[in-house]
């Protein structure tokens, strides 16, 4: 049975000029009218929800009628709710109480302001993740919640321009990509799939949104994984791949990246096993530091200066371990011949006096320390290309110091014979 009574159908028929509608016809039309009304109401509710409102308006009904190819009802475009009144003597008849408007008042009313012309204005929503304080952007109101048990009392304080970072939203695909890369770096760095991941990091063009996440991941893992040699080497390979990718702008994050890279170069200990070849990791990281300085040195003028200052301080500090000295030598040598000539060679003599006791069996009984000293010695021999030969001249009882510069890279060394010869490298 329809919820629309046949009397309503008869009243509607009389309102459009049909006065001889039979009761049987009105009773048959009632279910169809109910069905049509339900359709219009459902479509109106959809329009209301898409408009993010909780109240149905006449515009929603017009949209539903247009969707059903029905001519919309005109004259009900008011934004406020409609007020219906019951007709006297008819319990099922309602009408809208329209206010009588004087035509003279309508004519004499002032004209509304003309609408503004459409225009297009460009402005920055955010710069490097920070919303600028400009009139076009909505102000960010930051109000601290009152503490428990205390009433919030506003204080007369000076206005402070607070710029909150804009929320960074990643797509589902980028999140899965980041999770897979980090999983391979942490647990499967020796697998072929990790090598393919490094190639992807070096070539893919859509990875720029992930750069700050990779930088934070590298920084956190280096700070707490200095005892894991394989993890540190995998992280440095990830850094190398990110640097090779020309589609991402990594220079904005160098201030977070460089401390982690330099740590893998001059840290006291990398790994916790004797079998860990931390010498190779320091060599790899030294070339990485040199490539960063070469690529971004023209953008950040103080980049190479700060790196060389850190390395030379690590080299000349007697409290530092020999492994740290080795990393500093490799890092300085990778920065170029000018750095070697100006910094390494000029400090060679005082450093040799510091290194010599650890190389001699009579003075250094610890085999590991002696091995580290000879590794440092080999780095100096290869990188600085200097051999100091000192011998005594019996004729004039003088001493002659000869510096030989004919050893570069893997070149060979020719010794000059003399009455007394000692090697101080």
């Amino acid at each position: 049975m329809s919820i629309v009574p046949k009397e309503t159908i008869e009243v509607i028929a009389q309102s459009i000029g049909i006065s001889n509608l039979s009761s049987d016809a009105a009773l048959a039309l009632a279910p169809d009218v109910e069905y049509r009304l339900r359709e219009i109401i459902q479509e109106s509710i959809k329009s209301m929800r898409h408009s993010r409102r909780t109240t149905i308006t006449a515009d929603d009904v017009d949209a539903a009628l247009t969707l059903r190819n029905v001519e919309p009802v005109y004259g009900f475009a008011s934004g406020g709710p409609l007020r219906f009144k019951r007709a006297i003597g008819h319990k099922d008849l309602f009408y809208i109480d329209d206010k009588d408007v004087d035509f003279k008042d309508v004519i004499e009313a002032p004209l509304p302001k003309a609408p503004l012309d459409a225009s297009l204005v460009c402005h920055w929503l955010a710069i490097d993740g920070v919303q600028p304080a400009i009139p076009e952007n909505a102000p960010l109101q930051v109000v601290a919640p009152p503490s428990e048990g205390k009433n919030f009392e506003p204080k007369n304080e000076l206005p402070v321009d607070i710029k909150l970072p804009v929320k960074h939203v990643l797509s589902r695909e980028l999140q899965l990509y980041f999770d897979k890369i980090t999983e391979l770096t942490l647990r499967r760095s020796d697998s072929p799939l990790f090598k393919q991941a490094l190639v992807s990091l070096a070539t893919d063009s859509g990875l720029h949104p992930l750069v700050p996440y990779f930088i934070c991941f590298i920084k956190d893992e280096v700070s707490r994984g200095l005892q894991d040699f394989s993890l540190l080497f995998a992280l440095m390979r990830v850094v190398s791949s990110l640097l090779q990718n020309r589609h991402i702008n990594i220079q904005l994050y160098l201030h977070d990246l460089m401390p982690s890279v330099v740590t893998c170069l001059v840290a006291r200990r990398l790994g916790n096993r004797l079998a860990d070849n931390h010498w190779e990791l320091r060599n790899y990281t030294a070339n990485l530091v040199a490539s960063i300085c070469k690529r971004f040195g023209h953008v950040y003028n103080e980049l190479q200066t700060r790196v060389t200052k850190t390395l030379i301080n690590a080299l000349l500090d007697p409290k530092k371990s020999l492994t740290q000295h080795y990393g500093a030598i490799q890092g300085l040598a990778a920065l170029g011949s000018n750095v070697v000539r100006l910094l390494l060679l000029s400090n060679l003599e005082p450093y040799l006096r510091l290194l010599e006791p650890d190389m001699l069996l009579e003075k250094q009984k610890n085999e590991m320390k002696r091995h580290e000293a000879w590794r440092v010695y080999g780095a100096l021999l290869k990188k600085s290309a200097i051999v100091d030969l000192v011998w005594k001249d019996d004729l004039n009882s003088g001493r002659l110091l000869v510096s030989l510069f004919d050893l570069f890279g893997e070149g060979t060394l020719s010794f000059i014979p003399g009455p007394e010869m000692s090697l101080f490298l």
Side-chain angles (χ1 to χ4, degrees), residues 45-65:
I45 293 174
K46 292 180 182 179
S47 177
M48 174 196 69
R49 290 175 178 173
H50 284 298
S51 302
R52 299 183 181 276
R53 287 184 278 101
T54 57
T55 304
I56 296 180
T57 63
D59 294 334
D60 297 329
V61 178
D62 288 342
L65 293 174

Side-chain angles (χ1 to χ4, degrees), residues 76 80-87 93-98:
F76 294 94
L82 301 178
R83 298 182 179 275
F84 291 88
K85 288 187 176 183
R86 188 188 301 271
L93 182 61
F94 298 86
Y95 67 96
I96 300 175
D97 187 15
D98 294 330

Side-chain angles (χ1 to χ4, degrees), residues 11-245:
V11 170
I12 295 174
Q14 292 176 4
S15 65
I16 60 177
I18 303 176
S19 57
N20 56 351
L21 184 66
S22 63
S23 300
D24 295 337
L27 191 62
L29 286 174
D32 186 69
V33 171
E34 179 186 354
Y35 174 75
R36 302 298 176 183
L37 285 176
R38 289 182 181 273
E39 271 192 330
I40 298 301
I41 293 173
Q42 289 176 359
E43 296 298 336
S44 302
I45 293 174
K46 292 180 182 179
S47 177
M48 174 196 69
R49 290 175 178 173
H50 284 298
S51 302
R52 299 183 181 276
R53 287 184 278 101
T54 57
T55 304
I56 296 180
T57 63
D59 294 334
D60 297 329
V61 178
D62 288 342
L65 293 174
T66 303
L67 186 64
R68 295 296 177 180
N69 294 324
V70 179
E71 186 177 4
V73 179
Y74 300 102
F76 294 94
S78 175
L82 301 178
R83 298 182 179 275
F84 291 88
K85 288 187 176 183
R86 188 188 301 271
I88 299 176
H90 301 276
K91 63 177 182 178
D92 297 328
L93 182 61
F94 298 86
Y95 67 96
I96 300 175
D97 187 15
D98 294 330
K99 181 181 178 181
D100 295 335
V101 179
D102 191 356
F103 192 65
K104 180 180 179 181
D105 295 338
V106 175
I107 295 176
E108 295 179 353
L111 295 177
K113 294 182 179 180
L116 298 176
D117 294 336
S119 60
L120 182 64
V121 179
C122 299
H123 65 89
W124 289 102
L125 289 176
I127 301 176
D128 294 339
V130 178
Q131 178 176 313
I134 56 178
E136 289 79 5
N137 288 336
L140 297 174
Q141 302 293 339
V142 180
V143 180
S147 58
E148 296 181 0
K150 296 182 180 179
N151 295 327
F152 178 76
E153 297 180 359
K155 299 180 180 180
N156 295 327
E157 298 179 353
L158 295 176
V160 179
D161 185 14
I162 301 176
K163 297 180 180 179
L164 294 180
V166 178
K167 186 178 180 180
H168 196 188
V169 180
L170 289 177
S171 64
R172 180 62 178 169
E173 292 77 9
L174 288 178
Q175 294 180 20
L176 294 175
Y177 182 89
F178 176 77
D179 294 340
K180 189 64 176 179
I181 295 294
T182 53
E183 179 187 358
L184 291 174
T185 305
L186 294 174
R187 299 179 179 86
R188 302 170 59 188
S189 59
D190 55 347
S191 63
L193 188 59
F194 180 66
K195 296 180 180 180
Q196 298 178 6
L198 294 177
V199 175
S200 174
L201 287 174
T203 55
D204 286 354
S205 58
L207 303 181
H208 188 72
L210 290 176
V211 174
Y213 297 92
F214 278 122
I215 298 301
C216 292
F217 167 73
I218 294 169
K219 181 174 63 174
D220 294 340
E221 294 301 327
V222 169
S223 62
R224 63 190 177 197
L226 290 177
Q227 304 299 322
D228 192 343
F229 169 77
S230 59
L231 173 60
L232 294 177
F233 216 124
L235 291 172
M236 292 302 101
R237 294 173 68 184
V238 171
V239 173
S240 178
S241 297
L242 291 175
L243 290 173
Q244 295 175 24
N245 196 327

Side-chain angles (χ1 to χ4, degrees), residues 388-413:
D388 288 340
L389 296 173
V390 180
W391 72 85
K392 190 182 230 180
D393 190 350
D394 292 334
L395 295 178
N396 53 14
S397 299
R399 297 182 62 87
L400 180 63
L401 178 64
V402 178
S403 296
L404 186 62
F405 292 88
D406 61 351
L407 178 62
F408 296 96
E410 300 294 336
T412 59
L413 177 65

Side-chain angles (χ1 to χ4, degrees), residues 295-368:
R295 179 177 174 183
F296 303 105
H298 66 284
V299 180
Y300 301 102
N301 297 328
E302 297 183 355
L303 177 61
Q304 183 166 331
T305 303
R306 297 175 65 178
V307 170
T308 52
K309 183 178 180 180
T310 302
L311 296 179
I312 200 64
N313 290 338
L315 177 64
L316 299 180
D317 189 355
K319 298 181 180 179
K320 301 289 186 181
S321 64
L322 291 175
T323 54
Q324 293 175 287
H325 293 175
Y326 179 87
I329 293 171
Q330 294 290 347
L332 290 171
L335 292 176
S337 58
N338 291 334
V339 176
V340 174
R341 185 177 67 254
L342 296 176
L343 297 178
L344 193 58
L345 300 186
S346 61
N347 295 283
L348 187 61
E349 184 177 356
Y351 182 74
L352 289 178
R353 289 196 297 266
L354 177 67
L355 180 64
E356 183 181 3
D358 291 327
M359 296 175 58
L360 300 178
L361 180 60
E362 297 79 8
K363 296 183 180 181
Q364 181 57 262
K365 301 300 182 181
N366 191 331
E367 184 178 357
M368 181 61 65

